[in-house]
């Protein structure tokens, strides 16, 4: 099974990518609405992935306690 250090690394990478996209959006360099819409979807996907990893980490802690 995956250890907590690996989960933290993956979550960090997801955060890094989210920040990159937010900065790109904040700079106003999005060429059109379709690209903006796509990037918003990517952010939603990154957030979902991070939430899933957080839930997995909690479940792993619970399993370790038993």
């Amino acid at each position: 099974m995956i250890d907590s250090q690996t989960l933290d690394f993956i979550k960090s990478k997801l955060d890094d990518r989210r920040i990159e996209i937010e900065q790109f959006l904040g700079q106003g360099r999005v060429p059109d609405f379709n690209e903006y819409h796509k990037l918003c979807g990517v952010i939603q996907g990154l957030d979902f992935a991070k939430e899933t990893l957080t839930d997995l980490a909690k479940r792993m802690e619970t399993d370790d306690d038993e």
Side-chain angles (χ1 to χ4, degrees):
M1 186 149 227
I2 299 172
D3 63 9
S4 63
Q5 186 176 8
T6 303
L7 291 175
D8 289 342
F9 174 77
I10 295 170
K11 288 193 289 187
S12 172
K13 288 298 185 180
L14 294 172
D15 285 338
D16 291 347
R17 182 64 181 138
R18 189 183 206 287
I19 290 168
E20 288 174 8
I21 294 170
E22 287 174 344
Q23 289 174 343
F24 181 76
L25 291 172
Q27 293 169 354
R29 296 179 10 198
V30 180
D32 56 36
F33 181 75
N34 287 333
E35 184 69 15
Y36 172 81
H37 193 263
K38 178 186 137 194
L39 291 173
C40 288
V42 171
I43 288 173
Q44 289 175 335
L46 292 169
D47 288 345
F48 177 76
K50 187 175 176 189
E51 288 173 22
T52 302
L53 289 172
T54 300
D55 291 344
L56 176 60
K58 288 178 186 175
R59 187 173 290 177
M60 288 170 50
E61 285 179 19
T62 304
D63 289 347
D64 287 344
D65 291 341
E66 293 178 2

